[in-house]
Amino acid sequence: MKKIKVSLMGGTGYAASELIKRLVTHPNVELVKIASIDHVGENIGKVHKNFGNRLNYTFENLSAAELAQQSELVFLALPHKVSFLKIPELFPFNVKIIDFSGDYRIQDAKLYEKFYGATHSNPENIKSFVYGLPELNKEMIKTASRIANPGCFATACALSVLPLAHAGLLTGKVRIVGPTGSSGSGVLPSEGTHHPIRHNNMKSYKVLNHQHQPEIEQTLRAAGAKNLAVDFIPISAPLSRGILVNSICDLPADIKLTDIENIYKEFYKNSPFIRLTGSKEFPEVVSIAGTNFVEIGWALKEEFNGTKSFAAVCTMDNLVKGAAGQAIQNMNLMYGLDEMTGLDDFGRWP
């Protein structure tokens, strides 16, 4: 098979580093260019220390249009509110797009403005992007030319209860609490991610107001949830990688653990990156760190007030399944490849 020529815009972040690592070893890909406005002219190993001097790529100050002329697919690992300024430059070219930012995920431009604090500069193009969650939209991704890569928390939260939404069992309030690693905050240090503060510390942030909340609701409604509302509390945890979300909702009083197991197994039967631990063992971050795999377990509490309480625990790596790995999974589907190509590796243990 002819190799897919790809380029990357925004090459200095953590997600970009994970993407580069996997693209250069992908058997069906030729990484052509890496664009950045920072560290121009420097070898990428000067920024991403894991590469050393083994890769002959430098950061180049190239426009989106220049990348499009040399590539058939462009990844954009740019910040929110920057991506929507660059992406329109790609539209005149016959190039596929996978965007890491939140700029094309939320279909309602007014909701985007509320949660991201910016007016979208080309809202008329939002609906041309397919939301790149393969466990929900695999068939649409296969024929898409523009992908909005999901957010890390949005992926974990949605996957934790997606089978219930599809089964028509997700209604009313879903409450989600989850710690995340510091790499999710980006490569630039801030007070919240500074090591002396983050180490040996945990804190909640953006309580009930995280930008992934409307994305989670949108995804679950697309899967079949009705009359849904999500309360979400993210937690800053003292680890560099990983997300562990705990999603709690009410289910009908007659639901049984065997029903839950059947619903989850059936929904995820064609999802190779989903590992179900069930009700006997709960997922841990260390099991999936550094991989594109997701683990989901659950518990069911006895009837109260005509309902049963259900809790799903979901773990994943925020830089792989939450960003670069999911982008490659989407690329594989877009080009008719096995979706595990370049991603079927083992994590670190311990």
Side-chain angles (χ1 to χ4, degrees), residues 100 105 131 149-159 180-181 183-185 205 210 212 215 232 243 245 316-323 326:
F100 282 41
R105 295 176 194 155
Y131 187 68
N149 214 52
C152 52
F153 259 132
T155 297
C157 294
L159 290 177
T180 186
S183 58
S185 300
Y205 67 101
H210 193 277
H212 287 181
E215 186 180 338
F232 175 43
I243 285 177
V245 300
M316 59 171 234
D317 188 303
N318 55 290
L319 291 180
V320 191
K321 181 60 173 172
Q326 186 145 251

Side-chain angles (χ1 to χ4, degrees), residues 1 24 26 37 54 70 75 81 95 124 126 159 183 207 211 227 242 254 259 269 289 312-313 323 325 331 347:
M1 176 182 174
V24 297
H26 194 293
I37 59 172
R54 295 176 61 193
Q70 302 179 64
F75 293 94
K81 299 178 279 189
V95 62
E124 66 277 7
I126 293 175
L159 290 177
S183 58
V207 174
Q211 68 270 17
N227 302 316
D254 60 351
D259 300 325
K269 65 183 179 182
V313 181
M331 177 193 69

Side-chain angles (χ1 to χ4, degrees), residues 63-108:
S63 68
E66 288 173 309
L67 294 180
Q69 292 172 58
Q70 302 179 64
S71 318
E72 55 187 289
L73 185 151
V74 176
F75 293 94
L76 295 100
L78 297 171
H80 315 305
K81 299 178 279 189
V82 174
S83 202
F84 66 48
L85 300 175
K86 302 296 183 181
I87 279 181
E89 295 179 33
L90 298 171
F91 292 157
F93 300 92
N94 184 27
V95 62
K96 297 182 188 296
I97 301 167
I98 298 180
D99 179 37
F100 282 41
S101 83
D103 290 355
Y104 293 89
R105 295 176 194 155
I106 299 173
Q107 296 289 297
D108 185 334

